[in-house]
Amino acid sequence: MAVTASRIASAPALDVERVRRDFPILERSVNGRPLVYLDSAASAQRPLPVLRAVEYYETHTHANVHRGVHALSQAATEAYEGARERVRRFINAQSTREIIFVRGTTEGINLVAQAYARPRLGPGDEILITGLEHHANIVPWQMVRDQTGCTLKVAPINRRGEVELDRFLSLLSPRTRVVAIAHVSNALGTILPVKRMIDAAHAHGAVVLVDGAQAIPHSSVDVRALGCDFYAFSGHKLYGPTGIGVLYGREELLATMPPWQGGGDMIRTVSFEETTYNELPWKFEAGTPNISGVVGLAAAMDYVESLGLEAIAAHEQRLLEHATRELERIPGIEIIGTAPHKAAVLSFTMQGVHPHDLGTILDAEGVAVRTGHHCAMPVMTFFDIPATARASFGCYSTEAEVASLAAALRKAREVFT
Amino acid sequence: MDLKELYRDVILDHNKRPRNFGRIEPCDTHAEGHNPLCGDRLTVWLRLKDDRIEDVRFEGKGCAISTASASLMTEAVKGKDIPAVQSLYGRIHSLLTQQDAVPDASLGKLAALSGVREFPARVKCASLCWHTLNAALERSAAPVSTE
């Protein structure tokens, strides 16, 4: 997923001004200034085709799925299951039975932790994660550790914010049962060499989950080419709705896993003595799902493919390089996370100005960035900082917005000196 | 939104040169405060005589608002008895959260915090030190167990 110079040169250019017209929210102002939205890594904005697909579903199609013979229920079921096929194609899964709709990446990881790892692991077994992980890819494994008595190991990172690959490889052993790694670091933007890590983990017989929350909007993801066992991501980072996400799991593994929540839709027959479970993927989808969210997610996938993921990636990479150069020219700015392969995330601190104060001053200028620990407290601890400010880019971000960010940062410096 | 209202000179000065910064050892009571949203952490240390704060210091890492607020607080409460501190706590709370609160003269330099209420996301930063002071005082009031 590393974007090379040649890929940037060959990718079709993105007409960003046209793209921006698809996002009505970008027209608003904040604190009297035009909105400069540089927080897409926290949640991307939604384009009109997504908003319209959800509105059309709500005004023409809505009923419960898998439950009725009436026209609306059938139309809703078609929309819902059609979206599953859309997702399958988007990540090149083998079968729709491998696509489980969940609330988001967090729920996807928890499902694997509780339904795959918990029943299988015990004392002597190991789970391996990295020092870059988001809390959502740490805490579920700590819960499994406490439930089963297994051991949780962490592959360390270096000062550039990369996983130390040698240390990662040396921590793998036949005791390693589950490896859970980010595809892209949310706090620093580092792109992990997941293919190599997956192959190495498989050589030791471990099962690999990839947290794809930050990778899915910036690259085309092919789960079969990666060879991962599980891949989790969220709709709202991909210009889709909140509250919907996807867990991909290899069918062979999902088939052996017990359901993790009980309820309607996940059953075949129920009596007070015995229940038989539905088949994949519905076995893991208890209760009425987020149908409009699924419809919106499918529309978001259509949208990003219409722009072209390569074109989006190339645009973002150019912006990242431009923004890095611009920020490095501002006295006192230190960029946190300087790996050569990064996605559209720029984390930084300013000497003498706490990130929280930076966030407020930038907000007064209409510039929205994330400030804080980014749900990755161990990363902050590693760099011995309480927090960073993080600018992140999407398909609609522009060089003019980078200029607004730089101007607002210079203003922050003035306030504090 | 006027940044000058938030980052007044008094605030910037106390952020840059926080007063009463450090520990008191041994102390009579202390408490640690944490604002998980922004990562601010601070510890307030107290030496008490009867029901009077004889000495107060704080230590921690935080944004300008939380650091300046803690520094201003230590200046304001040193030498005061606990009922007076509690009354001050109430008035500061109103100042930070009520749109129409008018800082009265008795607040002194603490009145510089009145700009914070225009920035709701930052009220927690300014109030963290006061909650921590309160926790330290409550802890000292709790019966001491020798078990």
Side-chain angles (χ1 to χ4, degrees), chain A residues 128-133 154-169 171 181-182 185 188 190-193 197 339:
Chain A
L128 178 58
I129 62 174
T130 83
L132 276 179
E133 301 308 317
V154 184
I157 60 175
N158 62 26
R159 297 299 300 175
R160 288 192 298 273
E162 298 161 300
V163 174
E164 291 203 43
L165 201 57
D166 291 352
R167 302 280 299 279
F168 172 84
L169 297 174
L171 283 166
I181 50 178
S185 152
L188 307 179
T190 315
I191 300 170
L192 280 74
M197 296 165 89

Side-chain angles (χ1 to χ4, degrees), chain A residues 195-207:
Chain A
K195 173 71 180 147
R196 247 191 102 183
M197 296 165 89
I198 291 164
D199 289 347
H202 282 167
H204 290 275
V207 155

Side-chain angles (χ1 to χ4, degrees), chain A residues 31 352 354 356-361 363-365 371-373 377 384-387 411 415-417, chain B residues 1 3 6-7 12 15-16 34-41 61-65 119 121-122 125:
Chain A
N31 295 319
H354 190 280
H356 214 188
D357 295 310
L358 269 185
T360 294
I361 295 170
D363 184 53
E365 300 292 311
T371 56
H373 53 61
M377 283 185 179
D384 193 25
I385 47 179
K411 180 153 187 179
V415 170
F416 274 83
T417 45
Chain B
M1 257 167 86
L3 285 173
L6 182 64
Y7 295 112
L12 293 172
N15 174 50
K16 222 171 187 174
H34 182 209
N35 181 350
L37 190 72
C38 51
D40 288 357
R41 274 176 195 282
K61 276 185 179 170
C63 63
I65 304 302
F119 298 82
R122 307 305 300 277
C125 310

Side-chain angles (χ1 to χ4, degrees), chain A residues 70-93:
Chain A
H70 61 80
L72 288 187
S73 178
Q74 292 196 30
T77 302
E78 265 171 44
Y80 184 73
E81 294 302 332
R84 200 187 304 275
E85 166 57 21
R86 182 71 194 82
V87 174
R88 185 203 66 74
R89 272 191 288 127
F90 194 77
I91 60 172
N92 193 30

Side-chain angles (χ1 to χ4, degrees), chain A residues 55-256:
Chain A
E55 187 188 22
Y56 184 86
Y57 169 80
E58 298 287 9
T59 52
H60 289 78
T61 319
H62 174 68
N64 212 331
V65 292
H66 309 140
R67 278 164 177 82
V69 293
H70 61 80
L72 288 187
S73 178
Q74 292 196 30
T77 302
E78 265 171 44
Y80 184 73
E81 294 302 332
R84 200 187 304 275
E85 166 57 21
R86 182 71 194 82
V87 174
R88 185 203 66 74
R89 272 191 288 127
F90 194 77
I91 60 172
N92 193 30
Q94 177 92 42
S95 153
T96 51
R97 288 187 297 279
E98 301 179 315
I99 306 297
I100 317 283
F101 287 122
V102 289
R103 277 189 296 147
T105 311
T106 299
E107 191 173 63
I109 297 172
N110 275 277
L111 193 162
V112 175
Q114 291 301 311
Y116 180 82
R118 187 181 181 182
R120 283 175 175 77
L121 272 55
D125 291 327
E126 293 175 3
I127 298 169
L128 178 58
I129 62 174
T130 83
L132 276 179
E133 301 308 317
H134 185 283
H135 297 163
N137 205 22
I138 302 173
V139 183
W141 306 113
Q142 289 173 331
M143 291 164 70
V144 170
R145 174 196 64 194
D146 296 344
Q147 287 157 345
T148 65
C150 74
T151 304
L152 179 61
K153 299 223 158 176
V154 184
I157 60 175
N158 62 26
R159 297 299 300 175
R160 288 192 298 273
E162 298 161 300
V163 174
E164 291 203 43
L165 201 57
D166 291 352
R167 302 280 299 279
F168 172 84
L169 297 174
S170 69
L171 283 166
L172 288 169
S173 80
R175 290 185 301 279
T176 314
R177 302 288 305 279
V178 174
V179 172
I181 50 178
H183 197 164
V184 170
S185 152
N186 75 304
L188 307 179
T190 315
I191 300 170
L192 280 74
V194 283
K195 173 71 180 147
R196 247 191 102 183
M197 296 165 89
I198 291 164
D199 289 347
H202 282 167
H204 290 275
V207 155
V208 184
L209 174 139
V210 179
D211 165 359
Q214 293 295 336
I216 202 85
H218 306 300
S219 61
S220 49
V221 169
D222 180 331
V223 289
R224 277 190 282 174
L226 283 176
C228 57
D229 301 288
F230 299 103
Y231 196 97
F233 63 93
S234 301
H236 70 107
K237 314 269 193 207
L238 187 66
Y239 312 101
T242 54
I244 188 66
V246 171
L247 173 70
Y248 157 81
R250 279 203 300 120
E251 183 172 356
E252 177 190 333
L253 294 176
L254 291 174
T256 65

Side-chain angles (χ1 to χ4, degrees), chain A residues 377-396:
Chain A
M377 283 185 179
V379 174
M380 302 296 118
T381 305
F382 175 81
F383 286 100
D384 193 25
I385 47 179
T388 72
R390 180 189 70 182
S392 53
F393 309 109
C395 61
Y396 39 62

